[in-house]
Amino acid sequence: MPAELVPRRPWRGRRILLGVTGSIAAYKSVQLARDLTRLGAVVDVVLTEAAQKFVAPLSFEGVTGRRALTDLFSAEGAALHVKLGQEVDVVCVAPATADFLARAAQGRADDLLCTTLLATRAPVVVCPAMNDRMFAHPQVQENLARLRDGLGYRIAGPARGALAAGESAGHGGSGGVGDSEGPGRMLEPAGIEQHIGRALGAEAAFVGRTVLVTAGPTREAFDPVRYIGNRSSGRMGYAVAQAAWRRGADVTLVSGPSSLEAPVGVHMLNVETAEEMHAAVAQHIGAADLTVFAAAVADYRPSEARLEKVKRRQAGDDLSVALESNPDIAESTVRARKPGGVAVGFALETSDLVANAAKKLEAKSFDLVVANDATEAGAGFEVATNRVTILSRGAPPEALPLLSKDEVSEEILDRAGRVLQARLAESPR
Ligand code: C5P
């Protein structure tokens, strides 16, 4: 890692209560507690009695550096639940068994976790984990609906996928490995972190706003097996989409081919060509408060896509492919933008970075342009870092240090959020 790349600890000092109930998925919660602690949070873990049959309190103490809590009537004081409930910024119950959902939906107060839920007004994220047939049972669904609609709890997952044998042991489950057809499997820690991030990170500029992001390369076929493309991985746009969702926005991501996992909570529109991306953006930009054009769109496409594979024997030693221009998506959709909508563009340059980026700010009516030098190590395509200069209207360019793409996306959204808020002040929604 380059010396100047200092990892941000975005949740420094935030208090998270991690409730762990009795499911085999509890082993993943040790990783979750470790990740949350590494993000800077102070993590208090509360285990139910059943949870302790799957994983020991000591495992959590090892990764959080804090005493794991198990007892409503402990030496820490009779009102531990009240103190905890008032101090935490977010509660996350992972895994949440069917039994826990039933008890929480009823408002029971017979163990430390359920009692603390009654003592808190912090947002609650619940991550169910159980056999898929149990999860589909109307009784479980009714309890979930009560927690979600009646109490405003956020339900994260479950996902489909192989269930461990005994995923719901102790509560009447009989799941076997690989028998899952419907959802039941607890989300992975990385996904749960995003849900906790959204509970912690809600920001006025983004809550209830619609954000549209383009990302990745486009592929322009010239025969059934070959295409013209570029080296964009999609990382920058995916990071922006995820960060905007964490801030509370409804996010649509129009993505060219990418090997990245879809960001959590984001509505994905997968496309292949520039024309398909253009059509998707044209359809959605009218509703977007903020559009971020992070895609590396092919400027040209083959004039003719051949129906048969081009064979060397027929083409000979020289093969020319005639190209024609693709639409400039940002430029051609600007007029369809929502009134007051904010637009952010990218400029990947190999010379005269700031001057060329400033031209794009004007030519494409962007509010912000994120410029980077394609020739610089650690910046641009195929790397997890970026060194960018941000240009905005009426302010000098800001050169940022080398940052991870996650951090760059936070910097972009900080500035885009300020433009959004200023627009809102001019003409309230
Ligand atoms: O002109 P240039 O390709 O450098 O402009 C880059 C910006 O314009 C990026 O934000 C990119 O996503 C957007 N763009 C686009 N459609 C194109 C080419 C670029 O939306 N055909």
Side-chain angles (χ1 to χ4, degrees):
M1 187 189 302
E4 57 186 311
L5 185 62
V6 184
R8 223 163 53 164
R9 284 159 58 84
W11 296 346
R12 188 185 293 276
R14 306 302 295 273
R15 296 276 311 254
I16 300 176
L17 181 80
L18 177 60
V20 182
T21 72
S23 153
I24 185 69
Y27 77 91
K28 294 187 196 170
S29 304
V30 178
Q31 171 83 44
L32 176 63
R34 175 173 174 269
D35 292 349
L36 297 173
T37 305
R38 293 181 78 167
L39 287 165
V42 176
V43 183
D44 283 305
V45 180
V46 174
L47 293 100
T48 61
E49 211 178 309
Q52 294 168 62
K53 301 209 186 295
F54 292 91
V55 46
L58 200 57
S59 302
F60 289 101
E61 293 180 4
V63 296
T64 64
R66 295 172 69 76
R67 258 202 73 194
L69 307 165
T70 54
D71 190 359
L72 184 55
F73 307 103
S74 73
E76 335 257 325
L80 176 61
H81 54 284
V82 177
K83 188 163 168 294
L84 270 179
Q86 285 174 356
E87 285 174 355
V88 296
D89 296 305
V90 60
V91 178
C92 175
V93 183
T97 57
D99 181 62
F100 165 78
L101 297 177
R103 292 190 301 115
Q106 275 183 8
R108 296 283 289 272
D110 50 3
D111 69 6
L112 182 57
L113 181 57
C114 282
T115 312
T116 307
L117 281 177
L118 297 179
T120 193
R121 296 296 175 265
V124 180
V125 178
V126 172
C127 308
M130 68 198 72
N131 171 274
D132 58 335
R133 277 160 303 196
M134 287 175 70
F135 183 74
H137 195 285
Q139 185 68 68
V140 172
Q141 290 301 315
E142 217 169 274
N143 291 334
L144 272 175
R146 166 86 194 120
L147 295 176
R148 184 182 50 233
D149 306 331
L151 301 172
Y153 287 13
R154 297 149 189 256
I155 312 299
R160 279 169 213 273
L163 301 172
E167 179 96 78
S168 47
H171 305 294
S174 60
V177 174
D179 69 351
S180 156
E181 280 166 17
R185 179 189 165 100
M186 188 175 83
L187 294 188
E188 295 302 316
I192 297 173
E193 281 159 37
Q194 297 301 333
H195 285 272
I196 295 174
R198 187 164 159 106
L200 282 175
E203 202 187 300
F206 289 89
V207 173
R209 299 290 188 128
T210 302
V211 174
L212 178 65
V213 181
T214 71
T218 62
R219 276 183 191 169
E220 314 293 334
F222 74 87
D223 78 13
V225 293
R226 303 187 183 94
Y227 58 83
I228 296 177
N230 61 65
R231 286 161 39 202
S232 167
S233 64
R235 275 203 196 105
M236 197 60 247
Y238 277 53
V240 169
Q242 188 67 89
W245 185 79
R246 280 197 305 268
R247 289 181 186 223
D250 294 323
V251 182
T252 298
L253 175 58
V254 183
S255 174
S258 167
S259 58
L260 300 175
E261 250 179 65
V264 172
V266 164
H267 178 51
M268 287 296 291
L269 295 174
N270 292 303
V271 298
E272 194 160 316
T273 66
E275 282 184 304
E276 288 167 9
M277 187 175 277
H278 183 233
V281 172
Q283 197 189 336
H284 288 88
I285 198 167
D289 297 293
L290 167 65
T291 306
V292 180
F293 294 94
V297 184
D299 286 319
Y300 297 94
R301 62 172 177 258
S303 319
E304 176 204 2
R306 299 164 204 235
L307 296 175
E308 297 282 332
K309 185 179 167 194
V310 176
K311 293 205 170 67
R312 188 209 264 275
R313 227 175 291 127
Q314 286 159 358
D317 285 340
D318 295 310
L319 171 65
S320 306
V321 178
L323 301 176
E324 65 187 23
S325 190
N326 262 331
D328 187 304
I329 298 171
E331 211 170 290
S332 62
T333 54
V334 64
R335 276 182 303 277
R337 229 186 256 175
K338 183 174 179 176
V342 174
V344 178
F346 279 74
L348 181 66
E349 306 292 343
T350 49
S351 62
D352 298 326
L353 180 68
V354 171
N356 282 325
K359 278 186 207 147
K360 266 163 218 173
L361 189 72
E362 289 308 324
K364 303 201 187 191
S365 308
F366 289 137
D367 297 281
L368 299 173
V369 167
V370 183
N372 61 267
D373 188 335
T375 63
E376 195 182 318
F381 286 169
E382 292 181 317
V383 289
T385 53
N386 213 350
R387 186 195 300 279
V388 302
T389 299
I390 301 187
L391 287 84
S392 49
R393 295 180 174 273
E398 284 179 273
L400 303 184
L402 188 68
L403 296 169
S404 73
K405 286 185 176 170
D406 286 334
E407 289 165 322
V408 172
S409 51
E410 299 293 353
E411 298 286 343
I412 294 168
L413 293 182
D414 283 349
R415 288 160 183 79
R418 288 201 285 270
V419 182
L420 265 174
Q421 286 299 74
R423 293 271 164 85
L424 185 63
E426 284 163 23
S427 54
R429 283 188 261 194

